[in-house]
C-alpha cells in the first residue's frame, strides 16, 4: 500500500515537472525588456519592471524576477538603461496620406506671416516648369505675428501671391483643411470670373463660400465645399508619388512612436493603395480606416460587403466618416449663435443632416461605426440629435455601436452630458487647444469658451473615454505636444501660467490613456492593443525621460527614442 502511494506521488511529481518544463519551453520569450519605468495602462498593474514577448505577442508583464523565467538562451534582451516605455501610441484622428503628402509638397505649418508664404512659393517657382501646379498646406492666418494690409473677412488676398507666380497655378490648403488659397492662375484655369457671360454666378456653392472683396472680385480664399471649384482642376497624382507619400507617412509614425493610426476618411483610390501596401508587406503601422462619407456609392458597396477586419490587425475598415461642418479658424464651424468677430455669420452645414440620420441608421443595420466631424456647437447638437433618433429607431442594434464625434471642440452645455447618455465617444485633439485657444476666444467670446470649449475633464467625469490625437496634417504628428496640452492646457510656449480653463485639464494618466487604451477602445480594439497586457500585441514606445514624473517645464523635451511594432524595432534613434 505504501509502495503504491509512493509510486503515485512519484508519478505525479514527474508529470508536474514534465508539464512545467514543457510549458516553460512553450512560453520562451523572443524578447525581454527591462531596465526602466514601464507604464502599462493596465489597471491591474499600472507599472512593471519587465515585459516578455514571444514574436509579436506579450507573454508577461511584471517583476524582473518573474520575467527571467521566460528567458532562454536565444532570448534577446533589451535594457532600457533608465528610459521609459509605454504601450505603442495611437493617433486617434489623422489623415495618413495627408501626412505623407505634407512631406512632399510645401509644408507651411510653421509659417508666421503672409510674406513667408509668398517667399516659399517664389522659391518653388524656381524649381518647377511653367504651368506646373504648386501645392502646399499648413498656413493659418490666426497664428501670424503680423497681418498684411489688405484683408477681407480676416483673410489675405491673392494679389501679392499672384505676383510671384504668374505662370504657375498655386493652391495652398489652410492648416485646418477647411479652406484654401488660390492664385490668379489657378482661378483662371478654373474659369472663375466676377460674372460669367451667361450672367451665372459661378461662385455660389452650397456648404461653402468664395470670399470676395467690395467690388465682387474673388480674394483667392475658398472656404469649405467651395474648395472643389479649384481642386477639381488639379491633376491627379501618380502611383509613384502615392507610394512615396505612404512610405514617408509610415516613417513619420515610427519617428513619433505611433504604432496605430485612425485614418479619418478614405476613398476608393486610397483603399486600393493600402491593399497594395499590405500585399507588399509595407504596412508597418496598424491602420483603422473610416470610409469617406462623400461617396454614397462607396458606402452602399461596403454596407453590402460588411466591415473588414483582417487577421493580423493591420488594416481595418469598419467606420464611416461624415464631414458635417467646418473649422473655427476659417469661421466654417457651424454655430448656434453668430460669430463674435463676424456678426451675422454662423458657419456652414457642410453635409445635409438628413444624410447624417440616414448614415446613422445604415451604420447600425450593417455593423459600421459612424464618426462625424463636428467643431461648432450647432453641428454637435444636430449630430447628437440624429444619432439619438437612429438609436431609438433601432434599439436592438445599439448594444456596442461606439459612434463618435470627431473634434467635439465647442459644445452647448446642455449637450455635454448627452455623450455619456448616448454612448457617443468624443475624439478630441488636445493640441488644438494649444494652437487655437489664444484666438478662439475672438470667434466665440469668453462665455462660450468657458462653458463649452475643450471640455475634456467634464466629459471624462461624465463617464465617456476621450480619443486623443493631432488631426495631422492640421497639426504636426508629434504626440508629445498633444500630451503636454492635455495636462497643462497651455500653448507650446507655456502660456498662460495656469493654463486656459485649468479645471478642464486631464491628469497625466488620463492623457496617456487617451493616446493608448481609450484610443484602442474607440476602434473596438481594446482587447488586442492599447495596454501592456499579456495576450496583446507587442507594440511599444520608448522615451528619453519619464512622462509621469518629468517636470512640466521639461516635458516638451521628451523624445521618442525607439518604436517597437509587432515585436520588432522599427525605429531606433540611438542607432540612427
Amino acid at each position: 500500500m505504501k509502495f503504491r502511494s509512493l509510486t503515485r506521488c512519484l508519478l505525479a511529481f514527474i508529470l508536474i515537472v514534465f508539464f512545467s518544463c514543457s510549458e516553460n519551453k512553450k512560453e520562451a520569450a523572443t524578447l525581454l525588456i527591462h531596465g526602466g519605468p514601464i507604464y502599462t495602462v493596465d489597471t491591474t498593474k499600472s507599472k512593471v519592471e519587465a515585459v516578455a514577448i514571444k514574436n509579436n505577442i506579450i507573454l508577461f508583464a511584471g517583476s524582473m524576477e518573474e520575467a527571467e523565467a521566460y528567458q532562454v538562451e536565444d532570448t534577446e534582451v533589451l535594457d532600457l538603461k533608465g528610459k521609459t516605455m509605454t504601450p505603442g501610441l495611437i493617433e486617434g484622428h489623422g489623415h495618413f496620406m495627408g501626412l505623407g503628402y505634407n512631406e512632399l509638397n510645401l509644408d507651411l505649418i510653421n509659417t508666421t506671416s503672409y510674406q513667408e508664404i509668398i517667399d516659399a512659393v517664389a522659391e518653388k517657382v524656381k524649381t518647377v516648369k511653367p504651368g506646373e501646379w504648386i501645392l502646399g498646406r499648413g498656413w493659418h492666418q490666426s497664428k501670424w505675428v503680423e497681418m498684411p494690409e489688405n484683408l477681407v473677412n480676416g483673410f489675405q488676398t491673392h494679389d501679392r501671391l499672384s505676383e510671384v507666380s504668374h505662370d504657375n497655378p498655386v493652391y495652398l490648403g489652410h492648416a485646418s483643411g477647411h479652406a484654401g488659397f488660390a492664385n490668379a492662375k489657378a482661378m483662371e484655369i478654373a474659369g472663375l470670373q466676377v460674372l460669367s457671360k451667361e450672367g451665372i454666378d459661378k461662385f455660389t456653392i452650397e456648404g461653402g463660400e468664395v470670399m470676395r472683396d467690395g467690388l465682387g472680385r474673388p480674394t483667392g480664399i475658398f472656404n469649405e465645399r467651395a474648395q472643389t471649384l479649384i481642386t477639381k482642376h488639379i491633376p491627379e497624382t501618380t502611383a509613384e508619388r502615392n507610394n512615396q507619400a505612404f512610405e514617408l507617412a509610415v516613417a513619420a509614425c515610427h519617428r513619433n512612436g505611433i504604432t496605430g493610426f485612425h485614418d479619418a476618411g478614405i476613398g476608393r483610390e486610397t483603399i486600393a493603395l493600402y491593399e497594395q501596401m499590405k500585399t507588399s508587406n509595407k504596412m508597418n503601422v496598424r491602420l483603422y480606416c473610416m470610409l469617406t462619407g462623400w461617396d454614397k456609392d462607396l458606402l452602399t458597396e461596403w454596407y453590402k460587403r460588411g466591415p473588414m477586419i483582417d487577421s493580423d490587425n493591420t488594416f481595418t475598415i469598419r467606420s464611416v466618416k461624415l464631414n458635417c461642418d467646418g473649422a473655427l479658424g476659417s469661421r466654417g464651424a457651424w454655430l448656434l449663435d453668430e460669430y463674435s468677430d463676424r456678426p451675422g455669420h454662423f458657419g456652414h452645414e457642410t453635409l445635409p443632416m438628413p444624410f447624417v440620420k440616414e448614415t446613422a441608421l445604415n451604420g447600425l443595420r450593417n455593423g459600421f461605426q459612424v464618426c462625424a466631424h463636428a467643431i461648432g456647437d450647432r453641428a454637435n447638437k444636430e449630430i447628437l440629435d440624429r444619432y439619438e433618433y437612429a438609436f431609438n429607431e433601432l434599439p436592438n442594434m445599439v448594444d456596442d455601436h461606439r459612434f463618435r464625434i470627431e473634434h467635439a471642440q465647442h459644445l452647448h452645455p446642455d449637450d455635454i452630458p448627452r455623450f455619456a447618455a448616448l454612448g457617443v465617444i468624443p475624439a478630441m485633439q488636445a493640441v488644438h487647444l494649444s494652437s487655437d485657444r489664444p484666438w478662439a476666444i475672438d470667434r466665440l467670446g469668453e462665455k462660450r469658451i468657458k462653458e463649452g470649449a475643450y471640455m475634456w475633464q467634464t466629459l471624462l467625469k461624465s463617464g465617456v473615454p476621450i480619443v486623443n490625437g493631432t488631426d495631422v496634417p492640421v497639426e504636426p504628428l508629434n504626440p508629445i505636444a498633444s500630451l503636454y496640452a492635455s495636462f497643462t492646457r497651455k500653448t507650446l510656449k507655456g502660456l498662460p501660467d495656469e493654463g486656459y480653463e485649468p479645471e478642464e485639464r486631464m491628469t497625466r494618466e488620463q492623457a496617456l490613456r487617451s493616446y493608448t487604451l481609450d484610443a484602442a477602445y474607440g476602434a473596438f480594439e481594446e482587447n488586442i492593443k492599447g495596454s501592456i497586457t499579456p495576450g496583446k500585441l507587442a507594440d511599444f514606445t520608448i522615451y528619453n525621460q519619464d512622462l509621469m514624473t518629468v517636470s512640466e517645464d521639461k516635458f516638451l523635451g521628451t523624445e521618442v527614442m525607439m518604436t517597437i511594432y509587432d515585436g520588432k524595432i522599427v525605429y531606433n534613434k540611438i542607432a540612427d
Side-chain angles (χ1 to χ4, degrees), residues 334-340 345-347 377-378 412 443-444 448:
W334 194 20
L335 304 183
L336 289 166
D337 297 308
E338 64 186 11
Y339 276 82
S340 296
H345 184 69
F346 295 83
D377 55 357
R378 180 165 183 186
H412 188 280
R443 303 283 193 274
L444 300 175
R448 285 188 287 184

Side-chain angles (χ1 to χ4, degrees), residues 21-41:
C21 291
S22 298
E23 187 66 18
N24 283 338
K25 186 176 181 182
K26 178 183 176 183
E27 295 283 305
T30 53
L31 177 63
L32 179 64
I33 306 172
H34 73 100
I38 299 174
Y39 294 99
T40 66
V41 197

Side-chain angles (χ1 to χ4, degrees), residues 351-377:
L351 195 68
M353 287 301 111
F355 183 65
V356 175
K357 181 171 74 174
E358 175 189 334
T359 305
L361 291 167
N362 283 331
L364 292 175
R365 292 188 185 111
N366 298 287
F368 282 87
Q369 176 190 49
V370 179
C371 305
H373 163 115
I375 290 181
D377 55 357

